[in-house]
Amino acid sequence: MANNEVNGRDIIVMIDPAGGSSYKTVVCLTSNTMSSTVTELDASSKCGNKFVPGVKFDDTMTGEGFLLDPDTGIPTNQGYPELRALWALRTIVTIKFGKASPTTGDAIWTGTAFITNLELVAGDDALTTFTVTFKCAAPPFTQTVTY
């Protein structure tokens, strides 16, 4: 049986600012990451080292991308100005991480999240970039596999 590696370009981040399921793509990301952790409890003693899982989940989705000129960008997508407005209002959005058009066996992750970090970088003789971090409001994100 052959392995079918997934091209990272196919994995995108989409949000619905209204909290529904009308997702819009977060534009021109060059990379995106989903991080998942659970608290760890230190149960070490003189008897030996030991760790046990705690009960708190923490999920985040981050992305890095290019700032688009508002005169040329696709208005149906979510870029830095739209993300900045959501951040300023502390808006909880619905979010999806995965293939835009999943096929059989593909996993996608969904949930509610808010923006905890937003950064804009404009270097000399370089394209202007931004980074955004979404924190899951009710962790963990839900994983769904397409059948």
Side-chain angles (χ1 to χ4, degrees):
M1 181 175 197
N3 290 330
N4 293 319
E5 289 79 8
V6 177
N7 187 334
R9 180 168 277 197
D10 295 338
I11 306 299
I12 60 175
V13 177
M14 296 169 280
I15 63 170
D16 181 349
S21 59
S22 297
Y23 293 101
K24 298 177 181 181
T25 303
V26 178
V27 299
C28 294
L29 293 179
T30 55
S31 69
N32 41 288
T33 304
M34 185 174 71
S35 299
S36 303
T37 62
V38 67
T39 54
E40 54 188 59
L41 306 177
D42 187 349
S44 299
S45 67
K46 291 182 180 182
C47 295
N49 294 334
K50 183 178 179 181
F51 291 89
V52 295
V55 296
K56 293 181 185 176
F57 290 98
D58 186 19
D59 276 343
T60 58
M61 292 182 190
T62 59
E64 295 181 25
F66 293 116
L67 180 67
L68 294 182
D69 184 330
D71 296 330
T72 61
I74 301 168
T76 57
N77 289 331
Q78 301 294 292
Y80 181 83
E82 294 82 8
L83 296 173
R84 175 93 183 166
L86 294 171
W87 169 81
L89 293 172
R90 297 177 181 91
T91 304
I92 294 179
V93 301
T94 50
I95 192 165
K96 182 171 18 176
F97 184 98
K99 287 186 176 180
S101 300
T103 57
T104 301
D106 290 337
I108 59 166
W109 294 268
T110 57
T112 56
F114 54 95
I115 296 171
T116 59
N117 186 52
L118 192 58
E119 184 176 67
L120 187 62
V121 178
D124 182 38
D125 197 28
L127 294 174
T128 303
T129 61
F130 70 90
T131 59
V132 60
T133 302
F134 294 93
K135 183 165 184 83
C136 187
F141 287 121
T142 302
Q143 176 177 291
T144 305
V145 178
T146 306
Y147 294 102

